[in-house]
Amino acid sequence: MSDHNPKEPNINTLSVDLTELILSCLPIPSILRASSVCKLWRSLISSPTFTSPSLSHPWFFLFGLHNTSSRNNQSFAFDPLSNSWFRLPHLDDSSSSSFLGSHGFFFTTTPKFSYTPVLKSTWRLTSPLKYSRINPLLGVFHDGSSGGYGFKFIVVGGVRFIGGLVDMEDRLAVEIYDPNHDSWELCPALPADFRSGNSSQSLSSALFKGKFYVFGIYSCFVSSFDLQNHVWSDVQTLRPPGVIFSFLISCNDMLVLAGMCNAPRGPSFNLWKIDERTMEFSEIAIMPQSLLYSLVDSEEDDKFASLKCVGMGNLIYVFNEEYHQKYPACLCEISAENGKCCWRRVPQLPSPVNKFHKVISFCSTVSLTHIFDRQEDVGPAQAMYD
């Protein structure tokens, strides 16, 4: 005889709609585990109509590249809702040196340009770039003329090679790719002010309200490219008092500048809201000192120089691209209701973590369908963190 009391709640007695609603409220790692419980749950979760708030939270991707041994390359993704790291499959050896990521896609830029949706290794080659380059700025945008695919890519700056040598004179044109016609459109070049530093190592970018913003991490020069009219705005300087270096980030309905400052009260990492019409700034947050110093080696004179910043949606990630403490990171969540900023430490990367010569990082939303496609390769790294 069963001990089950028929009057007690039983999830098997719930309607399909209510079951689907409950499953949609789970973080992604729990959704993956739930999909293995029974055929009904698997069917609900794998349905194209299944949605989850978890998918709206941008993940933080970190790719570590080793110069001499590709076997030491490692790839990780952080899910902020479950506060968990995922270990990703290794990059293809031939593509790792020119690898980039942006807004739902992975890219390689040399020797040929190719792309694939995040977490779905279905690489597609494009027609050749007019100017092949490494370390460009790259964005994904949507416009009414994109037809069936609904998106286009914009490639800005980077380092061009001619005969195996770096071309120091060419500041490189902007190119826009239309996947419907497999064609590249050559657009006006970066303004001359950016000539001395035109790669992603010295520039940051942000897609915001139909414009692609380019910002000098150290120069603080800023200009925007109108994605419809294909013109650059006048170059301006965006430098709050005391800024040493900073990054421009698109966060939901506002532009945010995030940077390291030498302030009278001591070193600080600050966030400013930017008025895109006037380029005026107003401070919205300062990282807690204890959190800032947990990211660096306090014995080094230039300890803050290796801090980098990426962001998307309502999340901004700050991390150390040096091996100190195995690439520590923190995040700031900006409330959509009141604009309040909440800082917290990101868990350590799952061991073992190799020492890298180059770290590539970006934020992107993810597709549950693509996660299912890679479920055998992409799983929670160690146990889920609280």
Side-chain angles (χ1 to χ4, degrees), residues 2 44 56-57 67 91 101 125 138 142 171-173 183 198 215 232 263 267 277 286 292 303 307 319 358 361 372:
S2 172
L44 292 174
S56 64
H57 289 70
N67 283 349
L91 289 175
L125 285 173
L138 213 156
H142 302 262
R171 54 195 165 104
L172 297 180
S183 62
N198 61 357
F215 178 77
W232 286 98
R277 297 164 299 174
I286 301 177
L292 174 61
K303 51 183 168 286
L307 293 183
F319 68 100
K358 181 180 179 181
S361 61
F372 271 122

Side-chain angles (χ1 to χ4, degrees), residues 86-90 121 371-380:
F86 290 73
R87 191 183 294 276
L88 305 182
H90 284 277
S121 290
I371 294 176
F372 271 122
D373 291 342
R374 299 303 298 263
Q375 192 169 3
E376 292 184 359
D377 298 320
V378 182

Side-chain angles (χ1 to χ4, degrees), residues 196-218:
S196 61
N198 61 357
S199 77
S200 59
Q201 295 176 326
S202 54
L203 299 177
S204 70
S205 62
L207 275 166
F208 188 70
K209 294 185 177 179
K211 295 181 179 180
F212 187 78
Y213 286 81
V214 175
F215 178 77
I217 294 172
Y218 306 100

Side-chain angles (χ1 to χ4, degrees), residues 14 25 74 76 90 93 112 136 165 167 193-194 199 217 243 269 283 304-305 317 326 333 346 353 355 373 380-381:
L14 300 179
C25 295
Q74 290 179 302
F76 306 92
H90 284 277
D93 295 351
K112 297 180 179 180
L165 300 176
D167 182 3
D193 305 67
F194 295 100
S199 77
I217 294 172
V243 164
F269 195 94
E283 187 178 274
F304 301 112
Y317 293 88
K326 299 180 180 178
E333 184 171 2
V346 170
V353 178
K355 188 173 183 177
D373 291 342

Side-chain angles (χ1 to χ4, degrees), residues 284-297:
I284 58 175
I286 301 177
M287 185 190 299
Q289 285 283 298
S290 59
L291 191 55
L292 174 61
Y293 277 86
S294 73
L295 302 179
V296 298
D297 186 343

